[in-house]
Short mmCIF file of all heavy atoms in Angstrom, two decimals:
data_model
loop_
_atom_site.label_atom_id
_atom_site.label_comp_id
_atom_site.label_asym_id
_atom_site.label_seq_id
_atom_site.Cartn_x
_atom_site.Cartn_y
_atom_site.Cartn_z
N ARG A 67 -8.11 -12.82 1.25
CA ARG A 67 -8.80 -13.88 0.44
C ARG A 67 -8.86 -13.42 -0.97
O ARG A 67 -9.95 -13.13 -1.52
CB ARG A 67 -10.17 -14.10 1.09
CG ARG A 67 -10.26 -14.76 2.45
CD ARG A 67 -11.65 -14.70 2.99
NE ARG A 67 -12.63 -15.38 2.04
CZ ARG A 67 -13.93 -15.03 1.99
NH1 ARG A 67 -14.44 -14.15 2.87
NH2 ARG A 67 -14.74 -15.61 1.14
N PHE A 68 -7.81 -13.26 -1.58
CA PHE A 68 -7.72 -12.90 -2.99
C PHE A 68 -6.39 -13.42 -3.68
O PHE A 68 -5.40 -13.71 -2.97
CB PHE A 68 -7.70 -11.34 -3.15
CG PHE A 68 -6.48 -10.67 -2.55
CD1 PHE A 68 -5.50 -10.42 -3.42
CD2 PHE A 68 -6.47 -10.27 -1.18
CE1 PHE A 68 -4.27 -9.72 -2.93
CE2 PHE A 68 -5.36 -9.69 -0.74
CZ PHE A 68 -4.26 -9.43 -1.59
N GLU A 69 -6.47 -13.55 -4.89
CA GLU A 69 -5.26 -13.90 -5.69
C GLU A 69 -4.70 -12.68 -6.31
O GLU A 69 -3.42 -12.44 -6.32
CB GLU A 69 -5.62 -14.87 -6.76
CG GLU A 69 -6.12 -16.20 -6.22
CD GLU A 69 -6.88 -17.11 -7.19
OE1 GLU A 69 -7.46 -16.61 -8.10
OE2 GLU A 69 -6.81 -18.32 -7.03
N ALA A 70 -5.44 -11.80 -6.97
CA ALA A 70 -5.10 -10.56 -7.51
C ALA A 70 -6.15 -9.52 -7.34
O ALA A 70 -7.31 -9.85 -7.34
CB ALA A 70 -4.58 -10.70 -9.02
N VAL A 71 -5.77 -8.26 -7.28
CA VAL A 71 -6.80 -7.24 -7.16
C VAL A 71 -6.47 -6.09 -8.13
O VAL A 71 -5.35 -5.82 -8.39
CB VAL A 71 -6.82 -6.60 -5.70
CG1 VAL A 71 -7.36 -7.63 -4.81
CG2 VAL A 71 -5.46 -6.09 -5.22
N LEU A 72 -7.56 -5.45 -8.53
CA LEU A 72 -7.30 -4.23 -9.38
C LEU A 72 -7.97 -3.08 -8.62
O LEU A 72 -9.12 -2.97 -8.46
CB LEU A 72 -7.95 -4.33 -10.78
CG LEU A 72 -7.39 -3.45 -11.90
CD1 LEU A 72 -7.58 -4.12 -13.17
CD2 LEU A 72 -7.97 -2.03 -11.81
N LEU A 73 -7.05 -2.26 -8.09
CA LEU A 73 -7.43 -1.17 -7.23
C LEU A 73 -6.67 0.09 -7.40
O LEU A 73 -5.78 0.23 -8.35
CB LEU A 73 -7.15 -1.58 -5.68
CG LEU A 73 -8.19 -2.48 -5.13
CD1 LEU A 73 -7.70 -3.04 -3.74
CD2 LEU A 73 -9.43 -1.80 -4.95
N GLY A 74 -6.85 1.07 -6.66
CA GLY A 74 -6.12 2.43 -6.69
C GLY A 74 -5.72 2.86 -5.37
O GLY A 74 -6.46 2.61 -4.41
N TRP A 75 -4.67 3.59 -5.36
CA TRP A 75 -4.20 4.35 -4.16
C TRP A 75 -4.36 5.84 -4.41
O TRP A 75 -3.89 6.38 -5.35
CB TRP A 75 -2.82 3.92 -3.86
CG TRP A 75 -2.55 2.78 -3.06
CD1 TRP A 75 -1.75 1.70 -3.48
CD2 TRP A 75 -3.03 2.34 -1.81
NE1 TRP A 75 -1.75 0.70 -2.63
CE2 TRP A 75 -2.56 1.07 -1.55
CE3 TRP A 75 -3.91 3.03 -0.85
CZ2 TRP A 75 -2.89 0.30 -0.36
CZ3 TRP A 75 -4.13 2.30 0.35
CH2 TRP A 75 -3.61 1.00 0.58
N ALA A 76 -4.95 6.52 -3.46
CA ALA A 76 -4.84 7.93 -3.39
C ALA A 76 -3.68 8.24 -2.46
O ALA A 76 -3.82 7.81 -1.19
CB ALA A 76 -6.19 8.59 -2.86
N ILE A 77 -2.63 8.84 -2.88
CA ILE A 77 -1.43 8.93 -2.09
C ILE A 77 -1.29 10.39 -1.53
O ILE A 77 -1.87 11.30 -2.04
CB ILE A 77 -0.17 8.63 -2.91
CG1 ILE A 77 -0.06 9.51 -4.18
CG2 ILE A 77 -0.09 7.11 -3.26
CD1 ILE A 77 1.22 9.18 -4.97
N GLY A 78 -0.55 10.50 -0.42
CA GLY A 78 -0.48 11.83 0.28
C GLY A 78 0.46 12.72 -0.46
O GLY A 78 1.22 12.36 -1.45
N MET A 79 0.51 13.95 -0.03
CA MET A 79 1.39 14.94 -0.60
C MET A 79 2.88 14.56 -0.33
O MET A 79 3.65 14.98 -1.10
CB MET A 79 1.09 16.41 -0.03
CG MET A 79 -0.38 16.84 -0.48
SD MET A 79 -0.55 17.16 -2.20
CE MET A 79 -2.26 17.81 -2.02
N ASP A 80 3.12 14.09 0.88
CA ASP A 80 4.47 13.75 1.21
C ASP A 80 4.89 12.40 0.49
O ASP A 80 4.06 11.55 0.23
CB ASP A 80 4.66 13.63 2.64
CG ASP A 80 6.14 13.49 3.11
OD1 ASP A 80 6.83 14.52 3.26
OD2 ASP A 80 6.63 12.29 3.32
N ALA A 81 6.15 12.20 0.21
CA ALA A 81 6.66 11.02 -0.51
C ALA A 81 6.67 9.74 0.31
O ALA A 81 6.71 8.65 -0.20
CB ALA A 81 8.04 11.33 -0.95
N ASP A 82 6.58 9.86 1.68
CA ASP A 82 6.65 8.67 2.51
C ASP A 82 5.50 7.64 2.31
O ASP A 82 4.35 8.08 2.44
CB ASP A 82 6.71 9.13 4.04
CG ASP A 82 6.91 7.89 4.93
OD1 ASP A 82 7.45 6.92 4.52
OD2 ASP A 82 6.49 8.05 6.10
N GLN A 83 5.90 6.44 1.86
CA GLN A 83 4.82 5.38 1.67
C GLN A 83 5.13 4.15 2.48
O GLN A 83 4.94 3.03 2.17
CB GLN A 83 4.72 5.04 0.26
CG GLN A 83 4.19 6.18 -0.61
CD GLN A 83 3.82 5.70 -2.00
OE1 GLN A 83 3.60 4.56 -2.31
NE2 GLN A 83 3.67 6.68 -2.92
N TYR A 84 5.67 4.42 3.77
CA TYR A 84 6.01 3.37 4.60
C TYR A 84 4.84 2.37 4.90
O TYR A 84 5.06 1.14 4.89
CB TYR A 84 6.38 4.01 5.97
CG TYR A 84 7.00 3.10 7.03
CD1 TYR A 84 8.38 3.03 7.14
CD2 TYR A 84 6.17 2.45 7.88
CE1 TYR A 84 8.96 2.18 8.17
CE2 TYR A 84 6.77 1.55 8.90
CZ TYR A 84 8.11 1.48 8.95
OH TYR A 84 8.75 0.64 9.97
N ASP A 85 3.62 2.96 5.06
CA ASP A 85 2.51 2.11 5.44
C ASP A 85 2.03 1.18 4.32
O ASP A 85 1.36 0.16 4.58
CB ASP A 85 1.30 2.95 5.77
CG ASP A 85 1.50 3.75 7.12
OD1 ASP A 85 2.25 3.18 7.94
OD2 ASP A 85 0.90 4.79 7.30
N ILE A 86 2.46 1.45 3.06
CA ILE A 86 2.10 0.54 1.92
C ILE A 86 3.20 -0.52 1.70
O ILE A 86 2.78 -1.62 1.39
CB ILE A 86 1.85 1.44 0.71
CG1 ILE A 86 0.72 2.37 0.93
CG2 ILE A 86 1.53 0.50 -0.55
CD1 ILE A 86 0.47 3.35 -0.26
N TRP A 87 4.38 -0.16 1.87
CA TRP A 87 5.43 -1.03 1.34
C TRP A 87 6.34 -1.67 2.34
O TRP A 87 7.01 -2.69 2.20
CB TRP A 87 6.32 -0.26 0.31
CG TRP A 87 5.62 0.26 -0.86
CD1 TRP A 87 5.34 1.50 -1.15
CD2 TRP A 87 5.06 -0.59 -1.85
NE1 TRP A 87 4.58 1.59 -2.35
CE2 TRP A 87 4.46 0.27 -2.78
CE3 TRP A 87 5.06 -1.99 -2.16
CZ2 TRP A 87 3.76 -0.16 -3.87
CZ3 TRP A 87 4.39 -2.40 -3.27
CH2 TRP A 87 3.82 -1.49 -4.18
N HIS A 88 6.28 -1.26 3.66
CA HIS A 88 7.16 -1.76 4.65
C HIS A 88 6.61 -3.21 5.07
O HIS A 88 5.43 -3.46 5.18
CB HIS A 88 7.31 -0.94 5.85
CG HIS A 88 8.48 -1.22 6.81
ND1 HIS A 88 8.43 -2.18 7.68
CD2 HIS A 88 9.69 -0.65 6.81
CE1 HIS A 88 9.57 -2.21 8.29
NE2 HIS A 88 10.37 -1.40 7.74
N SER A 89 7.58 -4.12 5.34
CA SER A 89 7.20 -5.50 5.51
C SER A 89 6.57 -5.77 6.88
O SER A 89 5.98 -6.77 7.13
CB SER A 89 8.49 -6.43 5.48
OG SER A 89 9.41 -6.06 6.50
N SER A 90 6.63 -4.68 7.79
CA SER A 90 5.91 -4.84 9.02
C SER A 90 4.46 -4.41 9.01
O SER A 90 3.70 -4.63 9.98
CB SER A 90 6.67 -3.89 10.19
OG SER A 90 6.44 -2.55 9.73
N LYS A 91 3.97 -3.90 8.00
CA LYS A 91 2.60 -3.33 7.77
C LYS A 91 1.62 -4.33 7.12
O LYS A 91 0.92 -3.90 6.24
CB LYS A 91 2.68 -2.02 7.13
CG LYS A 91 3.71 -1.05 7.58
CD LYS A 91 3.52 -0.86 9.16
CE LYS A 91 2.37 -0.03 9.48
NZ LYS A 91 2.29 0.34 10.95
#
């Protein structure tokens, strides 16, 4: 229920960001 959000991500040490960008998630 939003149009745009201003947020932040704390990312892991490993480069894999599958959970954020993959279309299945």
Side-chain angles (χ1 to χ4, degrees):
R67 294 171 52 206
F68 66 91
E69 295 166 331
V71 293
L72 204 152
L73 279 172
W75 279 119
I77 55 178
M79 300 287 185
D80 190 84
D82 183 23
Q83 293 191 20
Y84 188 97
D85 289 334
I86 297 175
W87 298 110
H88 198 276
S89 63
S90 66
K91 311 304 290 184

